[in-house]
Amino acid sequence: MSTLYVLDIPENTAVATIAAEDPTVVVDKIGPYFEIRADGPLVVDRRATGCRHAVWYSCVAGVAPGDVITQHDKDALRVESA
Amino acid sequence: MTESTGGLEHRVRGVDHVAFPTFDPAATVRFYRDVLGFPVVHSICAAGWGPEHHPDFIHFFFDIGNDDRIAFFYYFGTENPTRGDKGDAYAKFAADVPEYFVRSRHLAIHVENEEDLLEYRRRLDASDWPVEMQIQHETIESIYTHDPNGYFFEITRAMRPVTPQEDLDATLTIDALLDVLDRPEPTFGKLLARKAELIVDRAAGWQPAEPAGTAGWETVVR
């Protein structure tokens, strides 16, 4: 399981929307945060989100303990089990 | 706001003044008064006194809006005592000190909207201190230059109002940071893991002080 938390603000909505396009991904809410989960690795394509760099590189609010970010660059954000 | 202030009443009212030394007061007056149009609102002409052989000085203030002020000290007969390859009139650094660090301490002055930001961009671009960068950050847009003293100078506008959930997020970030600083070898990854725990513990029960006005998350959740 890979779990990512993203604050629900207008700039970040596309991150949750694009993540949700993957059928293996489930997007829930905990208060004002998106909880984005996948059984395997969780990958979000940056270009598909349309996020400008400042937004992209600050969009992660939390990563569940035991998971790690293995990629966060101009191409993608990838979270998987450590 | 009890959570974000630790329960203490918040009584302060912004910046009274922030003060810097200058060794080029003529250019400083040109930049702040004549280029930017910041009024001169106060000055002190003081003879040197005290135990430290303090030089005679002029302390002069410009209004930066909201009755807040930026102030400068000009010391007669004094050369800049700092040494280094880069930096500003107050602080110099060796050539190998990274630029992100040198630029980290800066003053940002607020404007109401894009029209006002671009007005100051026009004023600076017509001067000896043109805008060096215009950047849209996460939720603000800023223009940057260096003033005649080498001080990194920013004017910024909010692209939207801050939402209530961003206040919660800031509180959880700082609490997570303090927690990981109490443990060995703090890292960004450990902060995000601790913050995830705080989100699970505390975010579900959070209620905004006013409607959050978020962007249709119902269409995303499934």
Side-chain angles (χ1 to χ4, degrees), chain B residues 66 93 147 178:
Chain B
N66 203 33
F93 303 93
D147 90 344
L178 295 180

Side-chain angles (χ1 to χ4, degrees), chain A residues 8 11 20 25 33 52 61, chain B residues 137-138 159-160 165 169 222:
Chain A
D8 181 7
E11 293 79 8
V25 168
Y33 291 90
R52 63 179 176 276
Chain B
H137 297 284
E138 294 82 359
M159 292 189 284
R160 62 162 172 79
Q165 62 266 34
D169 189 64
R222 64 161 190 262

Side-chain angles (χ1 to χ4, degrees), chain A residues 50-74:
Chain A
C51 291
R52 63 179 176 276
H53 281 193
V55 171
W56 177 245
Y57 288 112
S58 63
C59 71
V60 176
V63 174
D67 296 340
V68 290
I69 294 174
T70 52
Q71 180 184 6
H72 195 176
D73 57 22
K74 62 182 172 33

Side-chain angles (χ1 to χ4, degrees), chain B residues 47-57 75-78 81:
Chain B
W49 59 279
E52 224 184 283
H53 301 294
H54 197 295
D56 301 336
F57 67 95
Y75 305 106
F76 286 97
T78 304

Side-chain angles (χ1 to χ4, degrees), chain B residues 58-70:
Chain B
I58 306 289
H59 194 21
F60 54 103
F61 295 68
F62 302 95
D63 189 304
I64 54 173
N66 203 33
D67 288 332
D68 301 343
R69 297 170 297 174
I70 185 171

Side-chain angles (χ1 to χ4, degrees), chain B:
Chain B
M1 288 296 130
T2 304
E3 191 172 35
S4 62
T5 62
L8 297 172
E9 188 182 355
H10 190 43
R11 295 191 181 186
V12 291
R13 290 292 176 267
V15 175
D16 185 283
H17 66 278
V18 57
F20 303 88
T22 180
F23 296 90
D24 192 346
T28 298
V29 170
R30 275 205 294 139
F31 180 81
Y32 288 98
R33 185 191 68 184
D34 302 337
V35 172
L36 291 170
F38 294 178
V40 175
V41 286
H42 185 52
S43 75
I44 294 164
C45 305
W49 59 279
E52 224 184 283
H53 301 294
H54 197 295
D56 301 336
F57 67 95
I58 306 289
H59 194 21
F60 54 103
F61 295 68
F62 302 95
D63 189 304
I64 54 173
N66 203 33
D67 288 332
D68 301 343
R69 297 170 297 174
I70 185 171
F72 291 89
F73 288 104
Y74 173 61
Y75 305 106
F76 286 97
T78 304
E79 288 190 5
N80 190 331
T82 63
R83 301 284 180 270
D85 300 307
K86 58 177 162 183
D88 55 39
Y90 180 77
K92 297 242 175 4
F93 303 93
D96 62 348
V97 174
E99 203 59 29
Y100 76 83
F101 179 83
V102 174
R103 290 183 169 189
S104 62
R105 194 213 53 204
H106 64 276
L107 175 71
I109 294 176
H110 182 74
V111 291
E112 284 294 327
N113 52 44
E114 183 178 27
E115 179 186 356
D116 290 350
L117 187 76
L118 295 178
E119 171 59 25
Y120 285 103
R121 168 151 205 160
R122 273 190 290 276
R123 294 182 193 184
L124 289 167
D125 283 346
S127 79
D128 291 338
W129 303 275
V131 169
E132 299 166 19
M133 299 184 288
Q134 179 167 345
I135 298 177
Q136 287 192 346
H137 297 284
E138 294 82 359
T139 61
I140 63 173
E141 183 176 26
S142 300
I143 56 175
Y144 298 89
T145 192
H146 287 81
D147 90 344
N149 309 291
Y151 299 131
F152 197 37
F153 179 86
E154 175 180 357
I155 297 180
T156 190
R157 67 160 181 120
M159 292 189 284
R160 62 162 172 79
V162 174
T163 60
Q165 62 266 34
E166 286 167 287
D167 288 340
L168 169 70
D169 189 64
T171 297
L172 297 186
T173 294
I174 295 304
D175 287 353
L177 175 64
L178 295 180
D179 286 347
V180 298
L181 291 175
D182 269 343
R183 301 168 191 173
E185 297 174 21
T187 63
F188 188 54
K190 290 176 183 175
L191 174 119
L192 294 179
R194 178 60 186 144
K195 201 171 152 192
E197 293 176 331
L198 296 179
I199 289 168
V200 170
D201 286 348
R202 289 157 59 179
W206 175 81
Q207 293 294 326
E210 55 195 75
T214 56
W217 61 267
E218 294 86 352
T219 58
V220 176
V221 172
R222 64 161 190 262

